[in-house]
Structure formats: C-alpha cells, structure tokens
Amino acid sequence: MSAGEERSLLRAGVILPFLITGTIWGSTWFVITGQIDGVPAAWSVFYRFALATPALFLVAFLMKRRLKLTRPEHILAAIVGVFQFSGNFLFVYHAELYVTSGIVAMMFGLLMVPNALFGRIFIGERVQGGFLLGSAIAIIGVSFLLVHEWRANPDAGVIGGNVVLGIVLAMFGIIAASVANVIQANPTGRGVPMVSLLAWAMLYGTVFDLGFAILTAGPPPFPTSTNYWAGIVYLALIGSVITFPLHYNLVREIGAGRTAYNSILTISVAMLISTLFEGYQWTWLTVGGMVLAVVGMVLALRAKQKKKPL
C-alpha cells in the first residue's frame, strides 16, 4: 500500500464510519436478546423492519436515488428481501434463543465463506488458495468457541442440546444472508442504487415477516416495556437505517475488501458485550478459538482483497 493510500484510509471520512458501523453492529447482537425475551421472535423481526422500511425509503428519497424499479428489479428486490430481511433475521433471532449473542456474531464472521462459494458457483468469481487457508483456520477457531458453548450447556434440550439447534439456525441464517449478498451483485442489481434496492427489499421482506408471524406466532403482541420498544427503535433506525448507507459509502470509498475488515470490529464488540452483560466465560479453549478465528478471517480477507477480476 502506498503512503497516499494509507493517508486516505486514515482520514476522518473513513475512520469514523468504520468505527460507527462496527460498534453499532457489534451491539445489535445483544440488543436482539431483549427482543426475544417473552415476545415471539417473528413479531420482533416484523416490528423492527416495519419501522425501518419507511425510514430507509426516506433516506433514499433524501439522497435523491431512483425509487421507481422495473419489473425484473422488483423481482430481484423481493428475492433479496425474503432471504436478507426475512430468512436471515428470523433464523438469527431464533438462534439467539439458544446461543450466546456474541457466538452468533462470531459465526456470522464466517459469512465470507459461503459468499465465496456461491460467488464461484453463480457469478464465476475465483477464490485464491490463501482465502481457503484463512477460512479453514477461522472455521477451526469458531469450532472451538462452539464446543465451549455446547460444554457449558450439555443438557439444554433436544438434538444433543438446544445449543446445537441454535448453531443450526445460525448456519441457516448465514446461508440466507449469503444468498442475498450474491444475487444482489448480478447485472440487474448493479443497475439499481443500493439504498433503493435495500428499501424495496426491506419492504418485501417485512410483508413476508408479517405473514410468517401471523401463521407461526398468532396474533401480534403489544409489549408494554419501554426497554423493548427502545430496542426496536435502536435496531430499526440506528442498527439498520443509519448503518447501511455508511457501510455502502465505505465500500465505495475504500473497496469491499477493506470494508470487510469491519467484521473483525463487529465481532470484538459483540464478544465484549457478551462478556460484560451475558456472563460469557473465557477459557483457554475460547481464547484460542477467538485468536484463530480472527487470524483466519484476516488471512482470508487479505487474500480475497488481492483477487484479480475475470
């Protein structure tokens, strides 16, 4: 990296959004735990995006982005919405019923792995050997953390313990998010302003969330807790509407490869919060797992960053 590039990365317009998005997204994993305490997860997902959707449309309008989509663009937005704002979040919220929020966040740090695999299958992106090596190291590290989680709750319930169920749900969430990431990168998706695509996708996802909640959780509950609704506002406006534009501006400013390092900060914040507020216990196994996971992610991201276009 040249001296000019290093200076460009250290300017406030890059550092501040990087720190803000990483810190906010790291905190959202814990805030979700307050949304599923006594309230069906499906309804909490719906409430979050029912509030976030009009706000995101307003952001797109204020940014003067095109909001009128063609029929193929609407179809793409609907698919992205179902996978990203329904499947992904429904699986995540249900996973956190069984697994510590920081561990779910750590698992999502591996999102780059299915992203690379699906990118190879559907849009022909090549994967470097360094990426594969780094991903393998990260997977081993996360596996250490999951083993610790299971040992801490060996008699939690079904399928070898509810921890296992939580891990499976989180994995489905990762796959859903990955599908959304890859399909939005097709030629149709690249022709739509990102904020506009996200707004329409969120609208379609919210409609799906409503139907899913009614079918699986019955009539909508109306919690009276101020903390619950404060969490909804935080997740919807701060954790969704504010961070998405900042994140994609970073992608434009410094590239997707460097922006992906934000996941390291997100995971660190999530694990710190889990330690402080969820009583997460560190052992040599978890410390080693955390180190391996972070080192592996860094190696994988550095290799991916050097990938040559086809």
Side-chain angles (χ1 to χ4, degrees):
M1 184 185 300
S2 68
E5 287 178 312
E6 288 180 350
R7 284 194 297 271
S8 69
L9 293 176
L10 294 176
R11 69 182 191 276
V14 171
I15 293 295
L16 288 179
F18 192 96
L19 293 175
I20 290 170
T21 55
T23 302
I24 290 175
W25 278 344
S27 68
T28 58
W29 298 94
F30 176 71
V31 177
I32 288 173
T33 63
Q35 305 298 293
I36 55 179
D37 184 12
V39 179
W43 279 113
S44 288
V45 173
F46 168 74
Y47 289 148
R48 172 177 179 171
F49 293 119
L51 177 60
T53 297
L56 194 56
F57 271 101
L58 178 61
V59 169
F61 174 77
L62 293 176
M63 294 177 68
K64 299 182 179 180
R65 298 294 188 261
R66 171 171 67 90
L67 283 170
K68 185 176 181 180
L69 304 188
T70 65
R71 186 171 182 274
E73 290 168 348
H74 271 293
I75 293 173
L76 176 65
I79 296 172
V80 171
V82 169
F83 278 97
Q84 178 67 45
F85 299 110
S86 296
N88 173 26
F89 283 92
L90 286 170
F91 282 125
V92 165
Y93 274 54
H94 285 88
E96 289 201 22
L97 289 168
Y98 311 112
V99 182
T100 306
S101 65
I103 296 299
V104 179
M106 177 66 74
M107 291 181 67
F108 265 77
L110 299 177
L111 182 63
M112 58 190 175
V113 177
N115 278 357
L117 294 176
F118 288 144
R120 174 62 177 166
I121 294 170
F122 295 113
I123 54 181
E125 290 186 342
R126 291 179 294 181
V127 179
Q128 289 189 343
F131 176 82
L132 296 175
L133 175 61
S135 298
I137 294 172
I139 289 171
I140 292 171
V142 171
S143 297
F144 287 174
L145 295 169
L146 297 179
V147 167
H148 169 78
E149 194 79 356
W150 179 79
R151 286 179 176 176
N153 302 273
D155 301 316
V158 300
I159 319 177
N162 278 345
V163 167
V164 175
L165 177 59
I167 292 169
V168 172
L169 290 170
M171 290 176 65
F172 277 117
I174 293 169
I175 292 172
S178 181
V179 170
N181 285 344
V182 171
I183 61 176
Q184 64 84 27
N186 69 16
T188 300
R190 287 196 293 268
V192 186
M194 179 55 68
V195 175
S196 302
L197 179 64
L198 288 173
W200 280 104
M202 192 178 287
L203 175 60
Y204 286 119
T206 302
V207 172
F208 184 92
D209 292 334
L210 175 61
F212 183 85
I214 292 173
L215 290 174
T216 63
F222 294 99
T224 58
S225 168
T226 302
N227 288 339
Y228 177 85
W229 292 108
I232 288 289
V233 171
Y234 181 81
L235 292 169
L237 302 184
I238 308 300
S240 300
V241 175
I242 289 179
T243 51
F244 273 122
L246 287 175
H247 173 75
Y248 286 106
N249 184 64
L250 276 176
V251 172
R252 185 173 64 249
E253 290 285 328
I254 65 176
R258 292 191 180 104
T259 302
Y261 283 98
N262 193 275
S263 63
I264 307 299
L265 175 59
T266 298
I267 290 167
S268 300
V269 171
M271 291 302 294
L272 175 62
I273 292 175
S274 284
T275 302
L276 294 176
F277 299 105
E278 293 182 285
Y280 186 78
Q281 299 295 317
W282 289 93
T283 66
W284 286 111
L285 182 66
T286 56
V287 171
M290 181 74 173
V291 171
L292 285 175
V294 171
V295 170
M297 289 176 195
V298 171
L299 290 174
L301 289 170
R302 287 179 64 85
K304 194 173 184 181
Q305 180 181 317
K306 297 175 182 177
K307 181 185 61 180
K308 301 297 182 181
L310 296 175

